[in-house]
């Protein structure tokens, strides 16, 4: 193992040691104002930054733009819920290699189906009224089916809940996705280590003073090609889902 490879492995160790695992339980359950949101994200995502002291992770302007571009649900009375924070963390993972349009294509269907805005009394009352109306309609519908069944002398069909959608919620989806990311990290690390080992044996006949530079360049190109192919595949997935 040469000196350059040792340094690469140390840097790889630092990346995986600092990679943040933010579980749903680590995210405040109370609603937060914008400054509290950006502080939380800055504190918990610093391990992903190239320059933790100088980089701005998700600024107020960026978050407002996400809302404007319908990548993020709007806040209620300037407050952001746990669902907002979970969405912002997932957006942060995506924004380094996807455009805002692609992020919207990926995240909007999930957001619209499962995300909830901060608690608002007026909205809660409206939602309760809607649910009450829906229950009344379901009751009337069941009674109507029962009456038709009795007239036809047959049993009404049983109603089965959809187990895939029941009680899913954004929190469960977030925990599943983030958990799978971290379960996959050892495999990613192993692959990078194999690429480093391959680079050690590359350009062995090159002039000694040029060898580290050429090996590093070769490694960068191979890793970049993997990223490029994965990005192309992600774009195909997004396009096929439109």
């Amino acid at each position: 193992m040469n000196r350059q490879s040792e340094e690469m492995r140390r840097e790889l160790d630092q990346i995986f040691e600092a990679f943040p695992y933010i579980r749903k339980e680590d995210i405040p359950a109370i609603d937060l104002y914008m400054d509290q949101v950006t502080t939380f994200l800055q504190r918990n995502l610093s391990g992903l930054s190239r320059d933790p002291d100088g980089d701005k992770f998700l600024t107020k302007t960026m978050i407002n733009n996400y809302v404007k571009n319908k990548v993020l649900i709007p806040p209620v009375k300037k407050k952001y819920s746990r669902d907002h924070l979970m969405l912002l963390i997932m957006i942060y993972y995506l924004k380094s290699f996807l455009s805002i349009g692609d992020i919207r294509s990926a995240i909007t269907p999930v957001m619209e189906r499962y995300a909830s805005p901060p608690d608002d009394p007026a909205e809660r009352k409206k939602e309760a009224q809607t649910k009450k109306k829906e229950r009344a309609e379901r009751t009337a519908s069941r009674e109507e089916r029962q009456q038709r069944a009795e007239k036809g002398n047959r049993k009404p069909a049983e109603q089965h809940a959809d187990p895939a959608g029941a009680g899913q919620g954004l929190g469960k989806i977030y925990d599943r996705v983030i958990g799978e990311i971290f379960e996959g990290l050892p495999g990613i690390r192993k692959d990078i280590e194999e690429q480093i080992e391959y680079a050690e044996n590359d350009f062995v006949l090159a002039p000694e003073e040029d060898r580290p530079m050429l090996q590093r360049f070769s490694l960068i190109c191979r890793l970049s090609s993997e990223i490029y192919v994965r990005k192309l595949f992600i774009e195909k997935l997004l396009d096929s889902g439109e």
Side-chain angles (χ1 to χ4, degrees):
M1 183 185 298
N2 58 44
R3 183 181 302 175
Q4 179 172 250
S5 297
E6 290 177 356
E7 180 61 29
M8 288 178 180
R9 285 181 169 84
R10 281 196 295 270
E11 291 172 351
L12 194 61
D13 288 340
Q14 292 172 5
I15 290 172
F16 282 93
E17 287 171 3
F19 205 98
Y21 185 9
I22 308 173
R23 298 167 300 178
K24 182 184 71 175
E25 291 75 17
D26 299 326
I27 301 173
I30 60 173
D31 298 335
L32 304 177
Y33 288 105
M34 177 69 85
D35 287 343
Q36 295 170 308
V37 169
T38 55
T39 298
F40 174 84
L41 295 172
Q42 181 89 12
R43 184 174 64 247
N44 286 276
L45 294 174
S46 60
L48 297 175
S49 175
R50 189 175 186 177
D51 179 12
D53 296 325
D55 286 351
K56 292 290 185 181
F57 293 87
L58 288 170
T59 64
K60 297 178 183 179
T61 301
M62 292 167 67
I63 293 172
N64 287 331
N65 282 337
Y66 292 146
V67 174
K68 181 180 178 181
N69 286 279
K70 298 182 179 180
V71 179
L72 185 68
I73 51 177
V76 173
K77 296 182 179 179
K78 299 183 179 181
K79 284 190 173 183
Y80 296 81
S81 67
R82 175 182 275 178
D83 279 12
H84 280 100
L85 288 166
M86 289 187 289
L87 288 168
L88 284 168
I89 291 167
M90 290 188 282
I91 288 169
Y92 187 80
Y93 285 133
L94 297 173
K95 77 182 186 71
S96 63
F97 59 92
L98 289 181
S99 67
I100 191 167
D102 283 341
I103 294 174
R104 181 170 56 243
S105 297
I107 211 166
T108 297
V110 176
M111 177 181 70
E112 290 180 344
R113 184 170 178 83
Y114 295 108
S116 301
D119 187 42
D120 180 68
E123 288 296 323
R124 189 168 65 245
K125 182 178 179 181
K126 183 178 178 181
E127 183 180 356
Q129 291 173 342
T130 301
K131 288 183 177 179
K132 183 178 179 180
K133 182 180 178 181
E134 290 174 349
R135 284 196 299 269
E137 290 174 349
R138 286 197 298 270
T139 300
S141 179
R142 282 198 300 270
E143 291 174 351
E144 185 179 348
R145 288 198 304 272
Q146 182 68 39
Q147 290 172 1
R148 287 201 304 266
E150 289 174 353
K151 288 181 180 179
N153 196 26
R154 60 181 176 82
K155 293 178 67 177
E158 294 183 5
Q159 300 296 310
H160 297 282
D162 177 13
Q168 187 71 275
L170 185 64
K172 290 185 177 180
I173 295 170
Y174 173 87
D175 273 348
R176 177 72 175 269
V177 170
I178 297 298
E180 288 178 347
I181 288 174
F182 277 83
E183 287 176 5
L185 288 181
I188 295 173
R189 177 171 184 160
K190 182 180 178 182
D191 179 67
I192 296 174
E193 288 175 340
E194 289 175 353
Q195 296 281 15
I196 293 173
E197 185 176 353
Y198 185 89
E200 290 175 349
N201 300 307
D202 207 1
F203 292 104
V204 292
L205 299 180
E208 186 174 353
E209 64 272 17
D210 293 342
R211 198 177 305 150
M213 176 266 294
L214 292 172
Q215 290 174 339
R216 184 171 61 252
F217 178 70
S218 176
L219 177 60
I220 290 170
C221 288
R222 283 199 303 275
L223 293 174
S224 298
S225 68
E226 292 181 7
I227 295 170
Y228 181 64
V229 171
R230 289 171 186 261
K231 183 175 183 292
L232 286 177
F233 183 57
I234 290 170
E235 290 170 349
K236 292 291 184 182
L237 290 175
L238 292 171
D239 293 342
S240 65
E242 292 180 353

